[in-house]
Amino acid sequence: MIRIFQAFLFSALLLGMSGMQSWAGSWDAQVEAYLGSAEKQKMEQEAHAAAAEGRVMVYWTAPEDEAGNPAERIYDGIPNGACFYSSQDPVWQPVVQQTVYPNSVHQVGGENGSVYVSWNNGRGILFPYTEERYQAIRAEVQAFRQNHTWAGMTDFEKEMQIIQYLVAHVSYPYRRYRSGQDTTDDHSVYGALVLGEAVCEGYAEAFCWLADACGLETRFLTGSYHGESHSWNMVKLEGHWYHVDLSADDPVVNGSSANGFGWGRLWNRYLNRTDAEFGKDHVWEPLSDAACVSEFYGPDAVTEYLH
């Protein structure tokens, strides 16, 4: 049912720069002086090829401490103090601002203000946004927080509000996807929250953004569903992890949203399920710190809340 149109492959090269805590002058010239012209050009060409294929590739140089240990990488993002070059922004630039959220780190490039987001799932996947798009996403997230959250919410109530908001505001572009005309936006949080249309990847990333907004711990998973590439979430409720596959649970029947979309008309097949239940038709690489075994907030609890 689902495939990845834009493969966000995170390919990185960590080059030690002992004793260097900052850059001065031309970033391009500094990198060439350190790497050499041939190696620098090779990286740039690979990044350009990735851009042409719709993939994200990032190269960096980063400082080491006196013991030779590389700079810290929060949530597998770009190392602190790094100068990087990417398929998204083909220019060598430093990270000038870094904000850590419960589930993600947001890092700003110094040359053009683009933001790179890495989610806390140990998979090293970076999602890049132009400054304009990043601010548009943040505006939607802030509106959700203001209008759909309140003091004293339980984790389960937060999750249900996220699910309610997404099924009310996001439609699955079924016909476009099936005809092979799905766009990059269809696979992003920008498509989900700003444009109102997204496939699995956009649903899953939007879930993570909204979870960050209300302090709910989540994970962004990639794997397969009925044999096709797919993305979904895991969510932590009162200390226990559950699988949540919202795009698979917000049903499409014969390509028509009129047959099933909407809060209260969810199938409730893929909300707050265990590893064993998801293993019947999902395949993924398990996270060692997030086994899903509890059934406390499973289908019965969801059904009661839905009605």
Side-chain angles (χ1 to χ4, degrees):
M1 177 180 177
I2 312 299
R3 67 180 173 84
I4 302 296
F5 175 80
Q6 183 173 5
F8 287 91
L9 302 179
F10 185 61
S11 179
L13 180 64
L14 180 61
L15 301 172
M17 301 189 66
S18 183
M20 259 189 114
Q21 299 301 317
S22 62
W23 294 76
S26 167
W27 314 113
D28 194 80
Q30 291 282 345
V31 173
E32 184 165 335
Y34 180 71
L35 294 177
S37 177
E39 185 65 23
K40 172 176 172 288
Q41 185 178 35
K42 177 183 177 183
M43 294 178 189
E44 294 171 352
Q45 289 174 343
E46 290 179 354
H48 296 166
E53 298 171 2
R55 295 182 292 115
V56 173
M57 179 174 284
V58 180
Y59 285 106
W60 63 61
T61 61
E64 296 176 344
D65 62 22
E66 293 182 356
N69 298 314
E72 181 182 11
R73 292 178 60 198
I74 299 174
Y75 297 158
D76 283 339
I78 300 169
N80 293 339
C83 180
F84 69 98
Y85 188 99
S86 81
S87 52
Q88 172 77 8
D89 298 311
V91 57
W92 288 97
Q93 59 183 317
V95 174
V96 296
Q97 181 179 338
Q98 177 170 277
T99 306
V100 181
Y101 294 94
N103 303 296
S104 64
V105 58
H106 298 206
Q107 299 173 293
V108 181
E111 291 297 309
N112 47 31
S114 291
V115 183
Y116 291 75
V117 177
S118 181
W119 296 103
N120 179 18
N121 61 2
R123 302 295 159 81
I125 302 176
L126 283 180
F127 295 84
Y129 308 96
T130 63
E131 182 178 10
E132 180 181 7
R133 288 190 167 212
Y134 179 76
Q135 295 303 333
I137 296 166
R138 279 178 53 85
E140 295 298 326
V141 172
Q142 290 169 357
F144 164 79
R145 183 175 181 178
Q146 292 172 359
N147 299 322
H148 298 276
T149 65
W150 56 87
M153 294 179 75
T154 67
D155 290 347
F156 181 62
E157 288 173 330
K158 293 174 182 178
E159 182 206 17
M160 291 296 101
Q161 285 299 306
I162 291 172
I163 292 173
Q164 180 174 355
Y165 185 83
L166 290 178
V167 298
H169 289 82
V170 186
S171 296
Y172 195 105
Y174 183 85
R175 289 191 177 91
R176 187 161 66 241
Y177 165 76
R178 277 303 180 192
S179 65
Q181 297 178 341
D182 46 323
T183 67
T184 299
D185 287 339
D186 290 336
H187 294 257
S188 76
V189 65
Y190 184 83
L193 295 185
V194 179
L195 303 180
E197 289 189 309
V199 296
C200 64
E201 192 172 24
Y203 272 87
E205 198 189 354
F207 190 100
C208 286
W209 276 79
L210 299 183
D212 259 350
C214 57
L216 188 62
E217 193 171 352
T218 188
R219 295 289 186 269
F220 182 100
L221 291 185
T222 56
S224 64
Y225 171 59
H226 290 302
E228 296 192 24
S229 296
H230 192 52
S231 300
W232 67 96
N233 300 96
M234 291 169 60
V235 63
K236 194 173 187 179
L237 305 175
E238 313 299 342
H240 298 282
W241 286 98
Y242 300 84
H243 286 278
V244 180
D245 188 348
L246 189 52
S247 64
D249 208 78
D250 196 1
V252 176
V253 181
N254 297 324
S256 172
S257 62
N259 291 314
F261 275 111
W263 183 246
R265 297 191 299 277
L266 295 170
W267 281 336
N268 194 15
R269 297 176 184 174
Y270 300 109
L271 304 180
N272 297 354
R273 297 301 178 123
T274 65
D275 287 336
E277 291 169 323
F278 256 56
K280 297 174 182 178
D281 50 22
H282 289 69
V283 177
W284 70 97
E285 183 181 341
L287 301 179
S288 60
D289 63 342
C292 300
V293 295
S294 175
E295 298 180 355
F296 187 81
Y297 285 111
D300 290 342
V302 172
T303 296
E304 182 178 353
Y305 193 96
L306 285 172
H307 298 90

